[in-house]
Amino acid sequence: MRLGTSSPLAHSTPEEWAANQVKLGCGAVVFPVQSDEPKEKIVAYKEAAENHGLMIAEVGIWRNALDADQSTREQNMDYCVEQLRLADFLGARCAVNVAGAFGPRWDGHYKENFSDEAWKSTVKMVREIIDRANPKNTYFTLEPMPWMIPWSPKQYLELLEDVDRDRFAVHLDGINMINSAERYFNIEEFIDECVDLLGDKIKSCHIKDVHLKEEYTFQLEECAPGLGEFPLRYYAKKLHDLDTDMPIILEHLNTDEEYLRYMEYLKEELNGIY
């Protein structure tokens, strides 16, 4: 496995960016430059990653390609296509987005997210992005969410079948899918299900933690590694056994200092795997 973070850390040059990632212990990175930035900048960061032996795990998108406003939706679709083309140019493991929400918040929870319309729209959207970008060296993926397609490994498998595109694959965030008491109290079995069903379709993963609060009603909160109950080592070992080059990306921390601290925690916790 290759650890990485979603933070580029403070830096002033591509060389410093790559050197900082290696110093932190990263073997994989999230590409920090966007498709609408100068080509020279993109190439400089690509070469810095290559020169330091860093796998480009992900090109992030993070736009709602199902936005209710037609103009915004079209702009977001264009951005998805360009980010996937960027990932292809870089030879990244994947470009990743969420499916999108049927409401004002781009990643929000709405009843309509669970509708037949949402399913059909998601399938159509993924097909269009892949067909327009026509990638050869990377994959388009959707990050699972607690309240958005796909919210289970079985549903992801169904989505892969319905989209029916070779360049559609899996981004696994096992923590995001812990959205019920059943999954929370049977996490190892759920991780097994994810790996068994999705297997070599998994191209990149996120890692963090989840904590069950004592207050009523059932309340889960995302937290930094080690502050919750998610079996981090079990998760990492299953993914490492699946692919010894699997990128596992630490995300959703607030400062560089937090990334430094919790990367050190992960390296200790995953000793012998990492």
Side-chain angles (χ1 to χ4, degrees):
M1 59 170 283
R2 291 173 177 248
L3 278 178
T5 81
S6 61
S7 172
L9 304 178
H11 66 279
S12 56
T13 66
E15 174 68 23
E16 184 182 9
W17 163 74
N20 286 346
Q21 299 292 318
V22 172
K23 183 178 179 181
L24 184 58
C26 296
V29 291
V30 174
F31 199 66
V33 186
Q34 310 308 307
S35 54
D36 54 3
E37 296 188 72
K39 181 67 174 291
E40 295 79 9
K41 184 177 180 181
I42 291 171
V43 170
Y45 276 85
K46 178 179 185 288
E47 291 178 349
E50 291 171 350
N51 292 339
H52 286 79
L54 292 165
M55 171 194 288
I56 300 175
E58 302 173 10
V59 170
I61 300 174
W62 318 129
R63 303 281 177 89
N64 186 2
L66 299 176
D67 195 283
D69 178 76
Q70 181 177 347
S71 177
T72 303
R73 183 173 64 253
E74 290 175 354
Q75 290 176 26
N76 289 347
M77 281 290 290
D78 289 345
Y79 184 74
C80 289
V81 171
E82 291 307 314
Q83 287 294 94
L84 181 54
R85 286 174 177 162
L86 172 62
D88 201 50
F89 170 73
L90 299 170
R93 292 270 293 208
C94 66
V96 57
N97 199 13
V98 297
F102 285 75
R105 177 175 157 175
W106 75 282
D107 60 350
H109 44 82
Y110 304 101
K111 180 178 180 179
E112 291 77 11
N113 292 358
F114 298 85
S115 65
D116 288 341
E117 178 189 356
W119 183 266
K120 293 175 183 177
S121 296
T122 300
V123 170
K124 181 181 178 182
M125 174 264 293
V126 173
R127 286 176 175 172
E128 180 179 339
I129 291 168
I130 293 172
D131 290 348
R132 286 175 58 189
N134 193 26
K136 307 296 184 185
N137 308 306
T138 193
Y139 295 86
F140 182 68
T141 63
L142 294 178
E143 179 179 0
M145 296 287 282
W147 47 69
M148 190 183 295
I149 296 167
W151 57 80
S152 76
K154 289 181 180 178
Q155 190 184 59
Y156 213 140
L157 194 61
E158 293 172 5
L159 190 63
L160 288 165
E161 293 171 352
D162 281 9
V163 168
D164 191 27
R165 294 293 186 274
D166 290 342
R167 288 290 157 173
F168 182 45
V170 174
H171 183 286
L172 183 65
D173 191 319
I175 296 86
N176 278 1
M177 289 190 286
I178 304 302
N179 61 359
S180 68
E182 179 182 12
R183 289 182 185 172
Y184 174 84
F185 289 111
N186 297 280
I187 294 181
E188 288 86 354
E189 291 85 351
F190 182 70
I191 293 170
D192 290 347
E193 181 184 5
C194 290
V195 173
D196 290 346
L197 286 180
L198 301 175
D200 61 5
K201 288 288 187 180
I202 303 170
K203 302 303 176 184
S204 189
C205 310
H206 284 166
I207 195 166
K208 49 212 177 194
D209 212 332
V210 64
H211 173 61
L212 176 59
K213 301 173 71 173
E214 294 186 1
E215 292 82 4
Y216 292 112
T217 54
F218 186 76
Q219 299 181 50
L220 291 169
E221 62 178 357
E222 181 185 311
C223 54
L227 302 183
E229 296 79 44
F230 194 84
L232 302 171
R233 185 176 179 85
Y234 188 89
Y235 178 65
K237 180 66 163 57
K238 291 288 292 190
L239 294 167
H240 175 79
D241 289 347
L242 181 66
D243 179 356
T244 55
D245 266 341
M246 181 68 73
I248 299 182
I249 306 299
L250 173 62
E251 65 163 0
H252 289 176
L253 300 174
N254 297 312
T255 65
D256 284 0
E257 290 73 21
E258 288 185 351
Y259 277 103
L260 294 173
R261 182 192 320 154
Y262 289 107
M263 272 292 288
E264 289 304 314
Y265 172 84
L266 282 177
K267 287 188 287 186
E268 291 180 10
E269 180 70 15
L270 306 181
N271 183 39
I273 306 171
Y274 162 72

